Structures are given as structure tokens and as C-alpha cells.
Amino acid sequence: MVAVMCLVTLAIAVTGRMIGKSISHAGNTADPTVHEIIIGNDVLGLPANVIRFQSQRVSGVQNAVDTYFAWPGMRGYSLENRNIFNQTSSAKGLIFARITQATMSRDMSGRFDPIYKRLTDGQPVAGPDGLDSFRLRAGAGYASELMYVERTSGERPYTVRCLVEETGADRTTTTQTGCQRDIFIGKDLSVTYRFSIDHLPQWRQIESDVRSYLESALAG
């Protein structure tokens, strides 16, 4: 009986530590094991600690994979930076990126001139670091959003959509809910990534970091 009780006590202690560890990580993992994920004609090698959902932390064919990174640095989850990943009221310091097989012929930059530009309302307003902000027409399907576009004569300007909150008659906009952009990488992949509007002045570096990290994760 004493031996049985000791074994039960040990099992409870071990199980408790495992459950406690799982709860403290809130679904995150510090595991650096790399998984080879096949989406369409592309293969991505991604460490488990940048893959957001446990069900996707397996090698093999998947329809999509959701990733997240501490930024700057494009770092995965660790005990040292867990406070960044455990935020509930802000996405500051985080980049979320969903990777799927492309279903459109143009990414967001390619869609600005033939599509979004026709939906803008009024004159652009100067934004941070070479961006102009455009309002989109009411009823266009993009309520409570601003579109920030690189001030350039090129056919594929940097383009990002940001959620806004109206704060009075002057239509001042403030938000912590984030900006969203999609790009193409690899043979046939679409990446939709999101970040806090607080980081919009660093859009050039964010774009470069997202592309560099995910393109380097492509096999071959």
C-alpha cells in the first residue's frame, strides 16, 4: 500500500507539473524543433516555436500554417520573451503571418492600382515614412479602415490596410488593432501578415524581415 501510494503521489506530481507548464505557456511552445510543412508546391521548414497553433506543429501536407514572431528580430516564443506573446490588449512587438496557397493573381501591392485606387474617397493625407493614407468609400466593404500606400510612381507600391476607430467630429483615427498586408513568396504561396499600427513607421524593415525570414525557410 505504501508503495502504491508513493507511485500515485509521484504520478500526481509529474502530471501537475506537466499541466502547469502547459497552462503557463498558454498554448505556446519554446520547442525549436523544425517541421517541414508542405503547402501546394512549396515546402517550409519552420521551428515549432514560431507556429502559433499546436495542431499545426507537425510535418507534412497542410492547407495553411499560422505563425507569429516577436519583432524586431523575428524571434519565436521563448521563456525570455513570453510576456510579448502573452499580451491580451495589444499586438505591439508581435507579427502574425498566415501562409496559404495563393488564390489570387495579384498580391496587395498589385491590387492597389486596378482595384483599391478606384475605391478611395478624397485626397490622400501624408502618413509616416513616405506613406500616404487613403479613406475608402462608404459601402466599398472596407468599413473602419484606412489604406496606407507608398508615395511612389511605381506600379506596385507598398500597400497596407489598417483598422481605425473614429474619435470625434474631426474623424481623428487611433487604433491598436493592427494593420494587414499580403504578399507572394515561393512558387505559389500567399502570406497575410499583421502588426500593430504603432509599428507602421517601421514598415520598410517589417516588410524586409517578413520576406527574408519566410523566403529563407523555403526548401530549395
Side-chain angles (χ1 to χ4, degrees):
M1 286 294 294
V2 172
V4 171
M5 290 179 67
C6 288
L7 289 173
V8 170
T9 302
L10 178 61
I12 292 173
V14 171
T15 302
R17 283 197 296 269
M18 292 174 64
I19 293 174
K21 184 177 180 181
S22 175
I23 292 173
S24 67
H25 285 186
N28 304 311
T29 180
D31 182 8
T33 301
V34 175
H35 296 287
E36 287 194 348
I37 295 172
I38 303 168
I39 301 176
N41 297 313
D42 292 278
V43 180
L44 288 159
L46 296 169
N49 67 340
V50 307
I51 300 174
R52 190 176 177 191
F53 301 119
Q54 183 176 356
S55 62
Q56 297 176 342
R57 295 174 191 146
V58 292
S59 295
V61 177
Q62 299 193 40
N63 292 324
V65 62
D66 295 271
T67 61
Y68 55 175
F69 306 89
W71 188 88
M74 299 295 285
R75 293 166 290 126
Y77 177 88
S78 69
L79 295 180
E80 291 74 21
N81 65 17
R82 62 185 181 275
N83 290 338
I84 298 174
F85 287 84
N86 291 337
Q87 298 175 76
T88 58
S89 61
S90 171
K92 191 170 183 179
L94 284 173
I95 294 175
F96 299 88
R98 180 172 175 81
I99 307 164
T100 62
Q101 193 167 12
T103 58
M104 294 182 289
S105 59
R106 294 184 175 94
D107 61 9
M108 189 171 283
S109 287
R111 296 195 302 272
F112 175 71
D113 193 62
I115 299 175
Y116 295 131
K117 192 174 182 179
R118 302 179 183 183
L119 302 177
T120 58
D121 184 16
Q123 295 299 310
V125 176
D129 195 24
L131 297 177
D132 285 332
S133 69
F134 291 85
R135 285 194 170 274
L136 299 173
R137 290 199 308 267
Y142 301 98
S144 301
E145 292 187 30
L146 284 179
M147 180 156 285
Y148 287 87
V149 182
E150 183 180 5
R151 196 179 305 123
T152 176
S153 58
E155 295 181 358
R156 292 179 46 81
Y158 174 92
T159 306
V160 63
R161 290 162 39 200
C162 298
L163 293 173
V164 297
E165 298 170 357
E166 305 294 353
T167 57
D170 59 353
R171 303 181 78 188
T172 302
T173 57
T174 59
T175 183
Q176 294 292 326
T177 49
C179 299
Q180 177 175 301
R181 169 169 166 77
D182 62 75
I183 59 176
F184 290 160
I185 65 167
K187 299 173 184 175
D188 194 26
L189 292 179
S190 176
V191 179
T192 300
Y193 70 86
R194 298 182 290 114
F195 58 93
S196 169
I197 198 171
D198 289 343
H199 298 314
L200 192 58
Q202 291 82 45
W203 64 270
R204 297 177 195 272
Q205 189 62 52
I206 291 175
E207 174 84 355
S208 175
D209 289 348
V210 171
R211 284 187 179 276
S212 294
Y213 186 98
L214 295 179
E215 285 174 354
S216 68
L218 288 166

